[in-house]
Amino acid sequence: MKNIIDFNCPKCGSENIRKFSLIYRDGLSDLAGRNFHGTSQTVNSQIASPPFSPSQFLRRCCFFIIPLLFLGHIGRSPIFLTVGIVLGVICAIACRIYASTIYRDSLQIWNNTYLCQRCDSAFILGHDAPQDDW
Ligand SMILES: [Zn+2]
């Protein structure tokens, strides 16, 4: 039977391992004060963060494109409008390609990545070689 998955660290053999997604989630905490609201995150949680999502990618693109469209509209400049529209189309296509290739594969790897609590090495469950220490 080759399909049995070994839930031990491939480097030291310890059974004390934690999934990256749990480390990430457990390291987040909401902060709410009188004048602020936010999230704090432990260092381990930052390291175990999921891959950059397509929606984050698209939001960052919009950060640059929307001002161009606004300037084009206010200044009645066809150059800003054209550049903004072309960049928007390019970003949408790039986001679609990223979501269906790199992000999908990275998310699958992240979902199978564990951290050994004894020797601090990260590894992908089912792979023999541990990842680089973090
Ligand atoms: Zn280990």
Side-chain angles (χ1 to χ4, degrees), residues 64-79:
F64 294 105
I65 294 169
I66 289 175
L68 281 175
L69 294 174
F70 182 74
L71 285 173
H73 178 72
I74 294 295
R76 297 178 192 261
S77 169
I79 293 173

Side-chain angles (χ1 to χ4, degrees), residues 9 11-14 116 118-121:
C9 170
K11 191 173 181 182
C12 72
S14 173
C116 176
R118 185 197 289 167
C119 72
D120 217 25
S121 71

Side-chain angles (χ1 to χ4, degrees), residues 40-54:
S40 79
Q41 188 176 23
T42 63
V43 173
N44 279 353
S45 175
Q46 288 175 359
I47 292 169
S49 292
F52 197 68
S53 77

Side-chain angles (χ1 to χ4, degrees), residues 113-129:
T113 303
Y114 287 76
L115 176 70
C116 176
Q117 303 294 295
R118 185 197 289 167
C119 72
D120 217 25
S121 71
F123 60 94
I124 301 168
L125 200 62
H127 286 236
D128 290 336

